[in-house]
Amino acid sequence: MHGLMMRMPLMISSLIRHADRFHGDTEIVSRSIEGPIHRYSWHGAHVRARKLARALTRLGVRAGDRVATLAWNGHRHLELYYAISGMGAIVHTVNPRLYHDQLAYIVNHADDTLVFFDLTFAPLVAKLATECKGVKAWVAMTDRAHIAPDAPATLLCYEELLGAEDDEFEWPEFDENTASGLCYTSGTTGPPKGVLFSHRSTVLHAFASSLPDAKALSAQSVVLPIVPMFHVNAWGIPYSGPLVGAKLVFPGAALDGKSLYELFESERVTTSAGVPTVWLGLVHYMKQNDLRLSTLKMTTIGGAACPPALLHTLQDDYGIRVMHAWGMTEMSPMGTTATLKGKHLDRPASERNEVSLKQGRPLYGVDMQIVDEDGNALPHDGQHAGNLLVRGPWIACGYYGDDGDPTVDGWFPTGDVATIDADGYLRLTDRAKDVIKSGGEWISSIDLENIAMGHPAVAEAAVIGVRHPKWDERPLLVVVRKPGIDVTRDALLAFYAGRTAKWWVPDDVAFVDALPHTATGKLAKRVLREQFGDYALPEEVSSTDR
Ligand code: AMP
């Protein structure tokens, strides 16, 4: 017997329609690429998204077509999210930080029909246009006045397209499993792979990730996503914002400490989200200038492990609650959040912080398990580390244009190595390919990096395994020092004493001016491993039995 409930498909367009109807005057504020702050409301965004859907139809976009964006976080990008998916096409958010060859590869692989781009990327587009012949038109996301006079005559102007339309457009209703968005993973090995989201997965993820134990969003929230809309949909904020009726604040291209700080303060931002590196930059700026964020209550930190020192600084010195989260592009992206349970509340601060520094427990909808090399399930005892498998309604079961099935018995292998404790908290020990295999045992590079980051002289740290004749691999600590603070190799190695097992202590330290990062802001360990491929560890340390 079926229940007697209405069958309404979960449509992305329903999110912006809801925000317009019931939070119509709630603001959306953007630092525009042209310079000034742009301000309108959910009502204004809905009107313009409908005009844009008409313009796309006029340009020949049909259901299922891929339409690409090369854009920062801003109101026009938001309109594209809704217009493209809402009309039944697929918004392909392209990460402009990828290598040029990868960019051309994914635009061609996705067979994008149109590409919308922010002015910042005009030089990139000029080059791409010669390599991506399948693209029918390139659209500059600005008004005519800001388009260079010598731009190709075929270049279209976003504001002109919208200016020619009215907002008479009814969002179509169709199967909720229809593809809505496409995002390529940065592809550390092999070519990038396209993760294809659906209306259903996107709406369910927006629901779950807004809950109090996740991003804790409400109609009182003022949310500034620092994480880019080209990096897994800014972790879903453009969808959960209208779902709860929050005010959104978009930082555009200005992601330096000063610009972010000013926007946080002027718009009275209450909650945010970003990778650890941007927070390190913001904290550095605040410290230097003796400033505090007066309205920010919490932030989501994920994409890479949150260094303990950063969590302590934000929580203890600035009173900003850190919600450490883990996920991946293939998970839309949120999988777990490290929020406390009721039983943790009266525990000592040090114990609470220990929980908050884990990658967290699953949101409802996400199931996970760890297995050994042979696929046998490992106990959830917080001790056994194994390959992490996940499943759920917003987790990928394949890649766009690829016949292979990445799943194993219905589970998606994350490529992460983790422990899970009895309370369900996940603790990532490594990416499977970054784990340091020393004498048959595994050493967690993340743990060693976190310790180094706690040293006052360390600005950034990476730990990689380098070849060792006896132990296979031994850890090498690669460090960027804070400007003006000196520290020796021996002092850094001594800092590990009592903080980790003796045999885990790195064998050596290499000082560098900067560490390589991937297009999504993570440490590029593969590049680093190549760079230090022939590194000779000091004799006296490497020959010591540990
Ligand atoms: P991406 O698909 O680019 O978002 O990358 C996903 C990967 O980033 C995950 O599989 C993890 O290896 C890593 N990652 C994401 N969040 C965290 C976190 N909180 N701590 C450690 N690693 C993380």
Side-chain angles (χ1 to χ4, degrees), residues 184-186 231-232 235 301-306 324-331 333 336 358-359 414-416 428 430-431 434 446 518 520 522:
Y184 281 70
T185 59
S186 37
H231 184 194
V232 219
W235 300 346
I301 295 187
C306 175
H324 190 202
W326 166 85
M328 57 198 310
T329 310
E330 287 89 339
M331 299 179 74
T336 60
K358 293 181 179 168
Q359 273 67 24
T414 61
D416 285 331
L428 238 68
D430 247 311
R431 285 296 288 166
D434 294 340
I446 295 181
T518 67
T520 50
K522 298 181 210 303

Side-chain angles (χ1 to χ4, degrees), residues 222 261 263-271 292-298 318-320:
V222 181
Y261 178 81
L263 202 57
F264 272 106
E265 285 301 284
S266 61
E267 296 305 323
R268 305 187 58 75
V269 172
T270 62
T271 177
R292 297 183 72 80
L293 285 162
S294 60
T295 55
L296 189 71
K297 295 193 186 75
M298 75 161 282
Y318 292 99
I320 299 164

